Amino acid sequence: MTDTYPVITSPWGGFTRATTTLTDGEVLVHDTYLLHAETAPAPELMLTTADPDEAAALVERLGAFAADVPGWTRRATDAVVTHLSEETPAEVELDDAATDLALQTVEARPGGDLVLHLDDTCGEHLPHGYWPAVRFDASGAVAGVTVEA
């Protein structure tokens, strides 16, 4: 299959449409753009749209994240602990989560939402096979915390 989708340029490299090649050779094209594997930084950066113009606009939203990665990540880990706690968490719990929950993927969505997907590196915060995700709205406020499998 010839890639007929435009590459979306960014300060981190080119975003291309995400694809999966099945065992029979069929190629599935997903409604997301990912950085090319050779240029992708950690965390993985994703644009959730099939529209190349919208994808280009989402690169700007990722720029807000890139300007303060530690700040966004800490707010995400704090949100996870607060969401999973029945009481106001102690500072040590927040600090532990900031160390243990590693940022894996940042997803920019239409409308300006950012979703930070985290990995429980120690296995003490969530059951095996589960990971937390924190959605920030366009203003940067926490809009939701989910546990995904």
Side-chain angles (χ1 to χ4, degrees):
M1 175 181 146
T2 303
D3 186 8
T4 59
Y5 302 98
V7 173
I8 307 302
T9 59
S10 79
W12 315 284
F15 283 87
T16 57
R17 282 293 288 272
T19 60
T20 302
T21 303
L22 303 177
T23 56
D24 66 0
E26 179 183 1
V27 177
L28 303 177
V29 180
H30 304 286
D31 290 346
T32 57
Y33 283 82
L34 298 173
L35 277 183
H36 185 273
E38 293 175 15
T39 62
E44 176 181 58
L45 301 178
M46 176 188 308
L47 309 172
T48 304
T49 182
D51 181 302
D53 293 331
E54 192 168 47
L58 292 176
V59 168
E60 291 183 35
R61 182 67 176 130
L62 284 177
F65 165 79
D68 184 20
V69 175
W72 284 90
T73 304
R74 179 58 190 242
R75 291 190 309 127
T77 60
D78 286 358
V80 169
V81 173
T82 301
H83 177 77
L84 296 175
S85 298
E86 293 181 14
E87 299 175 2
T88 302
E91 193 65 32
V92 67
E93 293 174 280
L94 299 173
D95 291 343
D96 286 348
T99 300
D100 299 338
L101 299 176
L103 182 60
Q104 295 299 308
T105 304
V106 179
E107 175 186 357
R109 294 182 175 175
D113 286 2
L114 287 179
V115 179
L116 278 60
H117 299 266
L118 305 162
D119 180 38
D120 182 3
T121 63
C122 68
E124 294 181 15
H125 300 276
L126 296 165
H128 178 72
Y130 292 84
W131 64 90
V134 179
R135 184 172 60 87
F136 293 92
D137 65 19
S139 72
V142 173
V145 176
T146 58
V147 175
E148 303 174 351

